[in-house]
Amino acid sequence: MVTIREADLVDSIADALQYISYFHPMDYIRALAKAWEREENPAAKDAMAQVLANSKMCAQGHRPICQDTGIVNVFLKWGQNCRLESDKSLQEVVDEGVRRAYMHPGNKLRASIVADPAFTRRNTRDNTPCVLNVEMVPGSTVSVDVAAKGGGSENKTKFKMMNPSDSIVDWVLEMIPQMGAGWCPPGQIGIGIGGTAEKAVLLAKESLMDEIDIHELKERGPQTDTEALRIELYDKVNALGIGAQGLGGLTTVLDVKVREWPCHAAGKPVALIPNCSATRHAHFTLDGSGPKFLETPKLDDWPDVTWAPDAQARRVDLDTLTAEEVQSWKHGDRLLLNGKMLTGRDAAHKRIQDMLAKGEELPVDFRGRAIYYVGPVDPIVGEVVGPAGPTTATRMDKFTDMMCELGLLTMIGKAERGQGATEVIARHKVAYLMAVGGAAYLVARAIREARVLGFADLGMEAIYEFTVEDMPVTVAVDSEGNNVHQLAPQVWKAKIAQDHLVAG
């Protein structure tokens, strides 16, 4: 019987979670670099360059790739010849590893987990509990996969209890456009087929731990029906032209993973889960000899891709911003923001709404201002603010009219806006700007000052005032309601189809 000490499991999980907060899996970096080399859309290529540059910066600085440091998923395959030396439950032991990782003083990670999810939604403040899955297997080792799943991708999970004759390909191609760009493509999609409802979702999640190998698979050719399905989905999803960050382009997915399980003859459960551009997962094995610490990758393994502000981008002074200037922006324009902006996301918007309903005075005047949808990581010594990438903008759609009525001129977030919000933006003649998801550390470097102006008790969801210098954004919805996330993919879908016909 092999003894797995509590401390060894705790230390190994804590190390792995810190590791994946700032080191991308190298298979992802290699695949993204190849996609960057092939990309023909300048906007998508620029977005991928930001993600690659951000990745290397985080590897060097040991700071989070994304401000959303995720909900922790742990998959244990526990050898039946192993015993845990602890008087705590396995959940408690694993959660202690999570707690230590997220509270690490040298790289404190954002706590995003809330208890009492249907009602008070109180933040647990240490990112526990994790979601733990355990399988007992033959052997004398404990195999551990850890992942940190951001809300932007996790929220795009899709599931359908299909009829046996239904087409999986048709359903996936229907779902991908509905997912929008909040999952920060290009990434991977995991598909679970079979079992029961919960088993299909678990299969999809586990498949995202597999190494990216779609190009090797295409080169040798499929040997099973499942491999043929992966290739067909990879080609057809990329042919949609959604592209990096939804800006249109050649690459929407870097790989498609599929796992299966036998199911009832009357059904065909299918789940789809995307992994974002901050894909975070790692594996280690315990054998009773002590904790396991992951090997540090070599910085030379990152591609020589740098990012600098586009010389063609238009500099904007937020301190003197006018409605006329905002109305001169066109969808697809690239801007460099300078000056002071406000921040605020879900909790702040809800509190503003409640205060207005009660006739209470707001702590901030929004007239003529820009607001950035962000919940930053706490800063460490020498930082103005921790990694501070954008959060998914659609969650603020229902507050858009209220904020525009308060005099807001522009909003900055991640991915697309819904049709209702787009119509509100056009009616108020304001604009929505998109920052790149998955480039949080790079964005934070553009923030020169940060101070809390209101709702300090909300922590990372407080209203800050950031002073920024050359913060890169793209005009996603202009004052006429032209939406780059609707228009650009249509152009690239047609281009890809045309190129395919020519090649054929």
Side-chain angles (χ1 to χ4, degrees):
M1 181 68 70
V2 171
T3 297
I4 304 298
R5 296 173 59 244
E6 175 187 322
D8 293 345
L9 182 54
V10 169
D11 290 346
S12 300
I13 287 174
D15 174 74
L17 289 170
Q18 274 285 309
Y19 182 100
I20 64 175
S21 77
Y22 44 73
F23 290 140
H24 266 119
M26 291 314 300
D27 62 311
Y28 170 82
I29 292 300
R30 288 190 293 269
L32 184 61
K34 288 180 181 178
W36 174 81
E37 290 171 358
R38 294 191 303 269
E39 187 54 63
E40 297 175 12
N41 178 6
K45 197 174 183 77
D46 180 81
M48 284 191 276
Q50 287 191 43
V51 173
L52 286 167
N54 180 78
S55 178
K56 190 167 186 178
M57 289 167 60
C58 293
Q60 291 171 316
H62 286 197
R63 293 295 276 144
I65 295 163
C66 180
Q67 80 288 338
D68 182 351
T69 49
I71 182 169
V72 176
N73 295 249
V74 178
F75 298 87
L76 295 180
K77 288 184 170 56
W78 195 278
Q80 289 161 193
N81 293 331
C82 298
R83 62 176 291 272
L84 176 63
E85 186 181 72
S86 175
D87 59 0
K88 300 175 183 175
S89 71
L90 186 56
Q91 179 79 50
E92 289 172 324
V93 173
V94 173
D95 281 343
E96 181 57 29
V98 175
R99 184 176 296 108
R100 292 189 189 181
Y102 277 74
M103 302 299 287
H104 192 292
N107 183 41
K108 189 175 181 182
L109 306 179
R110 199 183 82 183
S112 300
I113 304 308
V114 295
D116 193 24
F119 302 102
T120 58
R121 297 181 64 82
R122 300 184 307 276
N123 196 299
T124 63
R125 300 193 179 278
D126 59 9
N127 223 57
T128 65
C130 73
V131 177
L132 177 62
N133 293 277
V134 184
E135 180 183 353
M136 298 297 292
V137 298
S140 302
T141 61
V142 175
S143 175
V144 185
D145 284 297
V146 296
K149 199 70 164 53
S153 60
E154 187 72 3
N155 289 350
K156 301 301 181 180
T157 298
K158 304 293 182 183
F159 172 79
K160 184 174 183 180
M161 189 62 80
M162 289 187 172
N163 293 318
S165 61
D166 290 345
S167 167
I168 293 171
V169 172
D170 289 349
W171 178 73
V172 171
L173 294 178
E174 179 187 355
M175 291 300 103
I176 294 290
Q178 293 181 23
M179 284 162 48
W183 59 284
C184 297
Q188 303 168 71
I189 58 172
I191 297 173
I193 306 170
T196 53
E198 76 280 7
K199 182 65 174 180
V201 176
L202 185 61
L203 290 167
K205 179 68 68 68
E206 286 185 291
S207 76
L208 294 171
M209 310 292 174
D210 296 340
E211 188 160 323
I212 295 172
D213 64 353
I214 193 71
H215 292 295
E216 293 85 346
L217 175 58
K218 293 186 73 172
E219 286 175 6
R220 72 161 168 81
Q223 297 175 352
T224 66
D225 289 341
T226 299
E227 289 182 348
L229 176 63
R230 286 179 58 198
I231 291 172
E232 181 180 4
L233 284 170
Y234 173 83
D235 289 338
K236 288 184 175 180
V237 170
N238 282 326
L240 295 173
I242 294 167
Q245 304 288 316
L247 294 170
L250 302 180
T251 302
T252 301
V253 291
L254 299 172
D255 203 343
V256 176
K257 297 299 186 183
V258 177
R259 288 199 184 184
E260 302 164 292
W261 194 265
C263 69
H264 194 286
K268 187 164 66 177
V270 182
L272 184 160
I273 304 179
N275 229 4
C276 66
S277 58
T279 182
R280 291 166 295 213
H281 59 88
H283 173 81
F284 62 88
T285 300
L286 297 177
D287 58 11
S289 62
K292 291 295 187 293
F293 302 114
L294 299 170
E295 184 178 349
T296 301
K298 297 179 177 63
L299 288 175
D300 291 344
D301 291 341
W302 269 261
D304 187 20
V305 177
T306 58
W307 181 87
D310 186 350
Q312 305 301 316
R314 177 175 171 179
R315 280 187 166 80
V316 172
D317 185 350
L318 295 173
D319 298 335
T320 60
L321 190 62
T322 64
E324 291 73 23
E325 183 174 3
V326 170
Q327 290 162 24
S328 73
W329 300 340
K330 302 302 179 188
H331 72 284
D333 285 354
R334 276 180 274 177
L335 311 178
L336 296 171
L337 303 182
N338 293 270
K340 291 180 170 55
M341 65 172 62
L342 302 172
T343 76
R345 43 178 281 168
D346 310 66
H349 281 76
K350 180 62 169 63
R351 186 171 292 184
I352 290 167
Q353 184 183 61
D354 292 343
M355 291 178 71
L356 290 173
K358 296 174 183 177
E360 297 175 355
E361 185 177 350
L362 299 178
V364 177
D365 185 352
F366 292 95
R367 288 175 295 182
R369 302 300 298 269
I371 193 167
Y372 181 30
Y373 303 145
V374 63
V377 175
D378 289 345
I380 60 173
V381 176
E383 291 182 340
V384 170
V385 68
T391 197
T392 306
T394 50
R395 299 202 314 274
M396 268 53 73
D397 280 3
K398 63 184 179 181
F399 302 110
T400 303
D401 188 53
M402 173 187 77
M403 297 304 294
C404 289
E405 290 287 349
L406 292 173
L408 203 67
L409 282 181
T410 189
M411 298 147 275
I412 306 115
K414 181 180 77 175
E416 73 285 344
R417 302 306 296 264
Q419 184 57 37
T422 298
E423 292 171 358
V424 169
I425 288 166
R427 187 170 74 248
H428 286 277
K429 297 296 181 183
V430 296
Y432 166 63
L433 313 177
M434 186 213 79
V436 170
Y441 197 34
L442 185 148
V443 170
R445 293 293 183 92
I447 301 169
R448 305 305 185 189
E449 296 179 27
R451 63 189 183 111
V452 175
L453 294 188
F455 308 157
D457 61 298
L458 296 180
M460 62 95 174
E461 295 211 52
I463 297 177
Y464 288 79
E465 183 177 71
F466 286 170
T467 301
V468 298
E469 184 177 311
D470 283 351
M471 177 178 165
V473 295
T474 298
V475 180
V477 181
D478 64 25
S479 61
E480 299 298 318
N482 298 305
N483 188 336
V484 74
H485 286 102
Q486 292 178 351
L487 300 174
Q490 293 174 14
V491 171
W492 283 90
K493 181 179 181 179
K495 176 176 171 52
I496 292 168
Q498 181 62 37
D499 290 348
H500 179 73
L501 286 174
V502 171

